[in-house]
Amino acid sequence: MRGANLLVTFRAALLRRATRAVPGALCIALLVGPIVALVVYACSTRWFFPQLLPAEWTLTPLLRQLGSPQTRVALRASLLTAGVTTALALVLGLPAARVLGLWRFRGRTLVLLILFLPTVVPPLAIGMGLNILALRLGLAGSLLGVVLVHLVPVLPYTIFALLGVFARYDEGYELQARTLGAGPLRVWFRVAWPLLGPGLTVAALFAFLVSWSQYLLTLLIGGGRVITLPMLLFAAVAGGNPTSIAGLALLFAAPPVLAIALAARALAAGSAEVGQQY
Amino acid sequence: MRGANLLVTFRAALLRRATRAVPGALCIALLVGPIVALVVYACSTRWFFPQLLPAEWTLTPLLRQLGSPQTRVALRASLLTAGVTTALALVLGLPAARVLGLWRFRGRTLVLLILFLPTVVPPLAIGMGLNILALRLGLAGSLLGVVLVHLVPVLPYTIFALLGVFARYDEGYELQARTLGAGPLRVWFRVAWPLLGPGLTVAALFAFLVSWSQYLLTLLIGGGRVITLPMLLFAAVAGGNPTSIAGLALLFAAPPVLAIALAARALAAGSAEVGQQY
Amino acid sequence: MTAIALSHLTKSYPRQATPALADVSLAAEPGTLLALLGASGSGKSTLLKLIAGVEAPDSGEITFDGRSILRVPAHRRGAVLMFQKAYLFPFLSVAENIAFGLRVQGASRATIQAEVRRMLALVELPGIEHKRPAQLSGGEQQRVALARALVTRPRVLLLDEPFSSLDPTVRQTLQEAVRRIQGELGITTLLVTHDRGEALAMADRVALIERGEVLACDTPRRLFERPPTCRAARLMGVTTFLRGELAGGWLQSRLGALAVCGPSPREGRATYAIRPEQIRLRCLPGPNALPARILAQTFRGELSEYVLQVGDATLRVQAFQPVAIPAGGELFVELPPEHLFPVCDDEASSERPL
Amino acid sequence: MTAIALSHLTKSYPRQATPALADVSLAAEPGTLLALLGASGSGKSTLLKLIAGVEAPDSGEITFDGRSILRVPAHRRGAVLMFQKAYLFPFLSVAENIAFGLRVQGASRATIQAEVRRMLALVELPGIEHKRPAQLSGGEQQRVALARALVTRPRVLLLDEPFSSLDPTVRQTLQEAVRRIQGELGITTLLVTHDRGEALAMADRVALIERGEVLACDTPRRLFERPPTCRAARLMGVTTFLRGELAGGWLQSRLGALAVCGPSPREGRATYAIRPEQIRLRCLPGPNALPARILAQTFRGELSEYVLQVGDATLRVQAFQPVAIPAGGELFVELPPEHLFPVCDDEASSERPL
């Protein structure tokens, strides 16, 4: 009797695992595959169609390309733009998300809808509209102009990420801190900030990633005077050398991967510290 | 005394509102501006730089463009691709998100990190890797190939959207339904599905929008045989006629806006029905 | 030691028909514990929020030691709130949590360390300084929250149902600990609760709150034994009310003529009440005893509860010993005159009186 | 009417040191209500999950009417669970919620409509068919959940603390309603609770559960008055245990020699217990009376509680009337022999006995 029980339980568990593992494995295969291909491309020369693996492996062209001054300038511009955009998006997005996340009011859905819009409208269209605005404001071709334009697609994503944070946020901690004698600044920096920390990390990550991968908007507003990594990458694609493309692509992918890794570490540390309680 | 009280309260409330309203207003201005510009472009001819508003308004070129067979074929391909991609993303993403959202296990962070990767790696790089895979599998140039490739950026976003849903999901409802005599299928369709409804709507919306706006991946895998709206739009940009660009951009924006509106309505209806309880 | 006085406080929330507080006046003597007893939604938590300063009243006045504190912001009032949830900061250790208020005041490192140790000893949790809140049980978390609240020597301690999510035994030890520490430190305390036993056991005075109004405020013993009005009596567990004509020490009620004693309010219409455990069940008729039939009985341990049919009315009786029921189920309920007390009838007449 | 029998059930969870259930055997007679009383984490909810079939035991057997149901999937067992949360489907109306189980069984439209109306009348909520769950109060939601559970005529009703989130008065009326309906329909019911009064008031038999073990199972009255072991007695609110040598009807304990009566278990080492409300406080010495000093007293309404110093031990006493304390605070506690009862000593010796 007991043996039969166990067998039934075991079989059911196995079936459950299998039905869950198959989509999971498929997901991972779809996602990891391209990256492996990219690494293979960057570290090889002469890989032609019928071959399963490249004939020659070398790191020289990759290193030469990454060392060029053109690449370094573009990397700096990309980092600066994405960093400033992220900071601005957080400063603007936090109060908006707090209101939208903690309060229920009429018209909330409408506001959310409007927030969604720029993530939908093609960047080309947005860029053309913004181009005119930027020209009239004298911001075209400047880094500030590029940052402001990046905010258009970045802000909605930031706000959506923060909305999730505030949906789970318990204002009771702030209340408690206030009655313990903490003024508004202290409440913000010593209570709200650490509590929101993990959520802010994710939101910042989103903001950085979205800004980092902008191409068209930078091109339209930067007007060729602000050169970021994606633009170099596109130029390389036009050139058509696969190794050179793959090298730039890897450089382009590195800071985001680093940012994700840091964020994941911060999140893991935070969740270990906070435990089940929060 | 009471008057003074009221004044203090009132002033504080006003200040609070103002500090919250300013970033909000800025957000909305940044987001709505470009769309207005787009509409003006599409419905006008001859709008030159120093003019504040166009000299002539007309709908003829817009209508002619939208009626062309080329546009109609591309629209159909776009809708088909995005629709099938969305369906597949939900089917694959639901079990993955359920496991990731409801269970805590070792390696969860690593899985999330891997999920994040494709949203970071530039589409060009992914596309090149996938191009090779697609060629070897004989999927290049087919709609199925395009759909599978779209899944690479779509799946992570879908899973992230669903994660939030499952974080708030209470399995007790399923338990309750089972003890009331409902078998697994009935539990899924009559209990889990309606409870997850709003979250699924949002996830489907995300999936649709991300797939809808793919350009590079479609081009690389479709190999010129699968023509979607974004590709027409890029061709128009190369042509350089602002009215034609704006018209296609509006057509491109219409289904997403419609999808968002439908989703918002479904969400509003759902929340009214469900009330505070869920 | 701080005296708290609330006068004519009102507070309404937008989109709510009835005001949360309607003209509430109350006072707590320095160093005493005042319990606010009422059902959920009666406005008692709102009252604490107004005193703490996290919300502002629509009108009225709040004074500490006679000085208005309405214009003082929450973090300068010296009024600490404790909630049902401990709200220990999850990113800080136990010691850092307790030190939070002292850090705000800019205390020295040595002072903080000494005070934290002292407070942990006071709440009987020595040696857990370096634990994380998530490692503590619910009762321990509330003890730490209490230590954190008390370490700054607040003028006023405000407790918002701090025990209601705890297991019964833990709850009782914590109630005793709070009462002991509050007495030792002499901190004026307001305790919000919906648990009658808790309010009676812990408070120097109990205020009954219903729908934003204070029904009565008195010592636990007086409020329990002689609640002044019908609504107050119901909150105190009284279920038997007799309305009738009072004349010459006799009440003519629907159940018949009953002797009452003590100072009668005045002749004419009057309402008397009696506590369910003061009603006696007996097998023989006697003075103030009415024939009755048992409809239902429930054994609750220390008490047994009976539902009786008396004439055309039903009566709830509590007995400390299970009653031996006579064969036919017929017995008598005695309403001893010394336990019948007059109450002011403040109820809507729609309720069916006896 | 279904008889439930559990035999030698064990259940452990991964990553938990102690088993949730360790060799549990219990039985419920057809149509009766068996209460499982224990603290949170004692394993009582796990037991219900095993019976409902949403989890499987590691070993052991569960039978309904003598037939094993372990291989029957949850939705075919005819065992309905009710939780603390009502789990009304928020996207369905009240009527559709109640009809859920009937729809599963494929009942006709007319049957469903009639049954829904009948069940709503039974739970005393007629006419709310078209409301949404969110429009109901907590007590109403639980009533609807009860109607939904009962409409399919389940073989077994499993209640997992269904009242614990309700206000006291609502809780009591709902307890009475469940007890009445359960009796009327004769559905075998298991009630999990941590509220002693609730278990005693509602159950035909009460099982005491601690750390996955059944300590005792008996009628409420017997379990309350004569718990068989020390651990069972503690769960029943007993705080006074006397360990000593029994000889000739006298117990030589740390407090002195005390007369005991009734059938003595055997001579030699023995442990006796007495309920706190059976200990009497008196002003004069007498048989089985010991001099004592009051350390603390708490007024709790129906009961007053005293902590007494007796020799070098402390004793908790409950009195139904507040005691008039003599001038010096010196009085006597009497432990009446007829209320001293022997208990089997199953506690770790680390606890300090009297």
Side-chain angles (χ1 to χ4, degrees), chain B residues 50-66:
Chain B
Q51 298 170 342
L52 198 70
L53 279 175
E56 265 179 53
W57 297 82
T58 167
L59 282 176
T60 322
L62 178 65
L63 291 177
R64 194 178 53 228
Q65 184 182 29
L66 300 189

Side-chain angles (χ1 to χ4, degrees), chain D residues 109-121:
Chain D
R109 211 186 161 84
T111 316
I112 288 176
Q113 207 167 15
E115 279 295 305
V116 166
R117 196 168 303 133
R118 223 177 61 82
M119 291 313 300
L120 278 176

